[in-house]
Amino acid sequence: VWNKYLVDRLTNEVGFAQSSIDECLFYKGNVIYLLYTDDSILVGPNKQELDQVVTDLRKAGLNVTEEGDIQDFLGINIEKKEDGSIQMTQPQLIKSILKDLRLDDANVTPKDTPAATSRILRRHAESDKFDESFHYRSVIGKLNYLERGTRPDIAYIVHQCARFTADPRTNHAQAIRWLGRYLKGTNEKGMILTPDPEKGLEVYVDADFAGNWHKDESEDEGTARSRHGYIITYAGCPITWKSQMQTEIALSSTESEYTGLSYALREVIPIIQILQEMKEYGHQIVGSKAKIHCRVFEDNSGALEMARLYKYRPR
């Protein structure tokens, strides 16, 4: 009911046009309005236009409160460099995670990697239960927000640790503490965006065929599932990424790669549509030509062949 009321005010009284691709996206002149339940982000080329939209929202009977800029809204430090690059960091969130893990002491030794590269995290049913020395679910929630915001380098291990939230064991807690030590040594690090106008939309995708399989848990179909990861970039900057288990059981590396390709492109299709829609509304789209193209990078020849040639196959 609230959403219908708000959309009615935005479209009929303030003059916004609702996106046909994403119901939470609105356009008015050079201003873009993003809605998340009852939180909003206004994006525009200058503050005067944004201030005018806020005034129009209030005239329409909407009780708007200004909570600051995008940094305050997201809890992300955004620093624009002289060379045109943008650095995004979340040191306060990392400090909060380290405090929860009791790793905020100066004597804690940092790690060089987010996780042990030679050990695969599994159920570890034979291990002792987690001793509740920290709030496992709460830390996972904070790590998820950190990974989705500025730290794609921890995506794999965060997702692995999150899989066992229902029944964590000492091995899972040790993995989180290892990750905490890695974050301690990189707490001021973050993502550096260097926009390249010559580049459009690009997708990098890869898969790990049954990489979690373990002979001691061979009856658990979850260990037979493959994992894929992808990064979608625009103008050379990553805009979304994911590391996830596949719901289907792949029977070969080609099948796992093809499934990863499918998941990545399902994510990118609406992004292409939004970029086309933004262009139609007069917004400047970097690197666009007559049509907006997407370039996909895939390293498995079998998956590429299946994607290129549209014909029925048993797989």
Side-chain angles (χ1 to χ4, degrees), residues 12 34-35 67 98 109 171 177 265 306:
N12 295 327
L34 300 164
L35 172 65
E67 302 291 344
L98 295 177
T109 306
N171 305 69
R177 288 195 179 95
L265 291 177
M306 290 167 65

Side-chain angles (χ1 to χ4, degrees), residues 224-263:
R225 292 184 180 180
S226 302
R227 172 180 292 276
H228 64 250
Y230 58 80
I231 299 178
I232 300 173
T233 67
Y234 178 65
C237 300
I239 56 174
T240 187
W241 52 85
K242 185 169 284 188
S243 170
Q244 65 183 140
M245 299 291 287
Q246 296 179 354
T247 55
E248 304 85 355
I249 303 293
L251 301 181
S252 68
S253 57
T254 292
E255 286 188 26
S256 65
E257 295 275 1
Y258 188 74
T259 299
L261 198 59
S262 174
Y263 272 88

Side-chain angles (χ1 to χ4, degrees), residues 67-105:
E67 302 291 344
D69 62 15
I70 192 71
Q71 298 185 76
D72 303 313
F73 186 91
L74 297 176
I76 296 176
N77 294 343
I78 302 173
E79 183 183 357
K80 295 184 178 179
K81 305 284 189 178
E82 292 183 359
D83 61 359
S85 64
I86 302 167
Q87 184 170 8
M88 300 168 61
T89 57
Q90 293 173 280
Q92 294 304 318
L93 179 56
I94 292 176
K95 286 179 181 178
S96 175
I97 293 170
L98 295 177
K99 185 177 180 181
D100 291 347
L101 296 175
R102 300 175 187 174
L103 295 175
D104 51 346
D105 191 275

Side-chain angles (χ1 to χ4, degrees), residues 259-279:
T259 299
L261 198 59
S262 174
Y263 272 88
L265 291 177
R266 273 181 262 176
E267 183 90 5
V268 83
I269 286 171
I271 296 176
I272 291 174
Q273 293 172 333
I274 287 175
L275 287 173
Q276 289 173 328
E277 185 178 65
M278 288 174 65
K279 188 178 179 184

Side-chain angles (χ1 to χ4, degrees), residues 113-301:
T113 57
T117 55
S118 58
R119 295 197 298 270
I120 297 174
L121 211 59
R122 51 189 181 84
R123 284 193 306 162
H124 297 291
E126 74 286 352
S127 299
D128 294 334
K129 285 187 173 291
F130 171 51
D131 60 5
E132 306 291 337
S133 55
F134 60 86
H135 197 303
Y136 195 97
R137 287 179 183 271
S138 175
V139 171
I140 287 295
K142 292 179 180 180
L143 287 169
N144 270 325
Y145 192 74
L146 176 65
E147 178 264 318
R148 297 302 298 163
T150 59
R151 297 295 295 266
D153 56 322
I154 66 172
Y156 172 79
I157 189 58
V158 170
H159 186 265
Q160 282 287 70
C161 292
R163 290 179 59 213
F164 307 102
T165 304
D167 184 23
R169 302 286 170 154
T170 55
N171 305 69
H172 309 133
Q174 289 169 2
I176 290 182
R177 288 195 179 95
W178 180 306
L179 176 56
R181 290 174 181 270
Y182 170 72
L183 292 175
K184 186 174 182 66
T186 59
N187 66 319
E188 296 296 331
K189 302 290 185 181
M191 195 155 51
I192 299 175
L193 309 179
T194 308
D196 183 353
E198 298 299 317
K199 292 185 177 180
L201 203 58
E202 296 182 342
V203 183
Y204 296 84
V205 56
D206 202 358
D208 177 22
F209 171 55
N212 287 326
W213 186 83
H214 194 277
K215 62 181 181 180
D216 295 336
E217 297 179 0
S218 57
E219 294 182 1
D220 178 14
E221 68 174 24
T223 66
R225 292 184 180 180
S226 302
R227 172 180 292 276
H228 64 250
Y230 58 80
I231 299 178
I232 300 173
T233 67
Y234 178 65
C237 300
I239 56 174
T240 187
W241 52 85
K242 185 169 284 188
S243 170
Q244 65 183 140
M245 299 291 287
Q246 296 179 354
T247 55
E248 304 85 355
I249 303 293
L251 301 181
S252 68
S253 57
T254 292
E255 286 188 26
S256 65
E257 295 275 1
Y258 188 74
T259 299
L261 198 59
S262 174
Y263 272 88
L265 291 177
R266 273 181 262 176
E267 183 90 5
V268 83
I269 286 171
I271 296 176
I272 291 174
Q273 293 172 333
I274 287 175
L275 287 173
Q276 289 173 328
E277 185 178 65
M278 288 174 65
K279 188 178 179 184
E280 291 168 5
Y281 277 101
H283 294 275
Q284 185 177 356
I285 301 300
V286 174
S288 68
K289 296 178 182 177
K291 292 180 69 175
I292 296 168
H293 295 279
C294 175
R295 181 176 296 173
V296 185
F297 297 84
E298 166 61 53
D299 65 352
N300 184 277
S301 58

